[in-house]
Each structure stands twice: as structure tokens, then as C-alpha cells.
Amino acid sequence: MNRSPARQRLYRLYRGGGKAARIAAALAVMGPASAIGAAPNPPPRTDEQRYADCMAQARDKPQQGMKTAALWQQRGGGAPAIHCLAVALMGLKRYDDAAMRLESLADLVPGNRPDLRAQALGQASQAWIAAGKPDRALPVLNRALELRPGEVDLLFDRAALHETAGRLVESTADLTEILKIAPNRDDVLLLRATTQRRQNRLDLARADVDRALLLNADNPDALLERGIIRFDQGDAAGAKDDWRRAETLAPKSAAAKAAAANLARTNQK
């Protein structure tokens, strides 16, 4: 795939989309926040405005955003300042530091907001994954899921982590749990097809990937996967058809490159 599932969510966090935007909105009113800068008689700003300004700077100019957030934290910015600092650190690819800040942020979230605490921990796990430390990410994800059992995004991140580490039974179990809640997630079906194939359950893998393609017929990653499954089932012609289509749909993608490599290998046989 172009990005691993966890990296896709990390990118959304860094750019401020999805649940990251919702946790941001809630954090903005969680704690005291004093002025970041000094201007003669500046108009008063709300905590939400200050937080929005800091986050925009953290994303667009992370070096400056880090300084702004650190100063704000020193002046009593609380949880919003820590979150802004973590986003800036991610922009600077200082993922270890970002992960530790996000874990500390989770500890600041009030006990009556387990949803926000779980989201902060989920973001921390994504940062640990980006840092290349999946062993640090897994216990953090487990903590998040203790707070929010059945949270689909958290389960998906854990499933992806398990799959990468070769824990296929655990990954399949998490993906199956997601599909009970959200049966039409083509990305979940695709990942479960991969875990099933790697366990040599080709019929189950084929059923999942076929369903994923019914939901999204032009998904090059699903076509790549179905081609692999078809080849393993003895259908070389069908496999080549899928791989050629993956190349045509997204010629510059990682899926297309993998499909081309598979075609080259099979054509040599």
C-alpha cells in the first residue's frame, strides 16, 4: 500500500483531519491558556483561537510551532499546548518526543473523558509506529482499548501492528471484531484478506478481497492482493489480469510497482 494503515492515520493527525480535529476542539477548552506573544494592547483571544493559531503554525512551520507551543506550555497552556507541541514535533520527524508528549497528554485528560484519553493514547501509538518502535506502540494501544473497547480506529491500528509483526491470529481477530461493527470497510476486508492468505486460508481470503472490490472496484491494493490470492489458487491468468489492472489504475503507486514485479516473475516461469 502507499502508506501503512497506521501511517495513514498519523498523516491525518498531523494535518488535523478526522478524529484528530475532534480531540483538538475538545482540548482547546480543557485548560488554562495564557498569551503566546506580546503585542501592544492586542485584542483578547479565546483559548480556542489561541489553540487554532498554534496548531496551524505547528503544521505549516513546525520549527516555529515547537517554540511557540513550548513557550505557551511554560506560561500555563496546559493540555492544548502539549498537543500543539506534539504535532510540531511530528512535523519535525521527532516521533519519539511526540509520542512521549502524547502519552503525557493522556494522563492530563480528566477521568470523566475516557474518549479523549483513548484518542490521545491512539495518537501516541501512531507516533511510536512512525518512530519505528512498534513494541512501544502496542501497550499504548492496549491501554487505549481498555478505555474504549470496540473503538474501530484503535482496533484497526492494532490489527495492522499485529499483521506487520506476524501475529496473524491476533490481527484477524481484531479485524473480525471491526467488521461486526462496520461491515462495509473495504480497508478492513483487504487487511483481513491478507492475514487469511498468510495463514493459507485462501477461500476465506478470496471472499474478503472480492467483497472489498465490490465496495471499491478501483482499489489497486485490493487488486494486487486478489492477484496474489488467485495465483496461489492456481489461476495465473486471473492473477495477471488483476495485476495489470492495478498498474493501469495507479501507475505510480506502490501497488503498481508490486504488481509489475509479480508480473515479471510469473512471466519468467
Side-chain angles (χ1 to χ4, degrees):
M1 299 183 186
N2 296 334
R3 296 192 186 100
S4 70
R7 282 189 178 273
Q8 289 174 355
R9 292 195 58 219
L10 178 67
Y11 181 78
R12 291 200 299 273
L13 167 63
Y14 178 62
R15 296 313 308 172
K19 288 194 174 181
R22 292 199 286 279
I23 188 173
L27 285 172
V29 295
M30 265 182 50
S34 49
I36 294 177
N41 301 317
R45 287 190 297 166
T46 66
D47 288 347
E48 291 92 336
Q49 289 169 332
R50 187 174 292 110
Y51 181 71
D53 291 346
C54 184
M55 289 291 279
Q57 191 177 69
R59 295 187 189 106
D60 297 334
K61 298 178 180 178
Q63 188 68 46
Q64 184 58 42
M66 180 181 68
K67 295 176 182 177
T68 297
L71 178 60
W72 188 20
Q73 186 181 2
Q74 291 171 9
R75 295 180 177 181
I82 294 174
H83 193 230
C84 184
L85 178 58
V87 170
L89 289 167
M90 283 189 291
L92 295 170
K93 302 187 187 304
R94 290 175 53 181
Y95 298 121
D96 293 70
D97 291 336
M100 288 187 283
R101 295 304 193 289
L102 287 162
E103 284 195 57
S104 69
L105 172 62
D107 292 335
L108 290 177
V109 175
N112 64 349
R113 293 303 307 269
D115 55 332
L116 287 184
R117 183 172 291 180
Q119 287 177 35
L121 289 169
Q123 292 173 11
S125 74
Q126 294 160 31
W128 283 125
I129 292 167
K133 297 183 178 178
D135 290 344
R136 296 288 297 268
L138 183 58
V140 175
L141 266 176
N142 287 338
R143 282 178 59 198
L145 280 161
E146 286 174 5
L147 293 165
R148 297 286 287 177
E151 179 71 33
V152 167
D153 286 338
L154 295 172
L155 282 168
F156 187 66
D157 282 355
R158 190 171 70 177
L161 200 59
H162 282 318
E163 190 271 336
T164 300
R167 295 185 292 267
L168 303 177
V169 173
E170 293 88 342
S171 181
T172 303
D174 279 344
L175 295 165
T176 300
E177 189 64 27
I178 294 170
L179 289 168
K180 292 176 184 176
I181 303 165
N184 293 323
R185 284 275 300 262
D186 66 308
D187 54 343
V188 178
L189 287 162
L190 173 55
L191 186 56
R192 194 173 71 169
T194 301
T195 65
Q196 299 281 30
R197 170 178 58 80
R198 292 182 62 192
Q199 295 173 85
N200 203 33
R201 299 171 178 169
L202 297 182
D203 289 343
L204 293 173
R206 178 65 183 272
D208 277 347
V209 77
D210 282 347
R211 191 167 151 213
L213 283 163
L214 279 174
L215 293 166
N216 183 0
D218 293 335
N219 184 338
D221 295 304
L223 288 163
L224 170 66
E225 179 62 36
R226 190 171 70 177
I228 297 169
I229 295 166
R230 277 180 154 177
F231 189 82
D232 288 348
Q233 289 177 320
D235 181 8
K240 290 178 182 180
D241 286 344
D242 280 340
W243 292 334
R244 291 190 190 101
R245 181 160 169 74
E247 282 190 291
T248 300
L249 285 170
K252 295 182 180 179
S253 69
K257 292 177 182 177
N262 288 345
L263 284 166
R265 281 193 294 269
T266 54
N267 288 334
Q268 289 172 0
K269 294 181 179 180

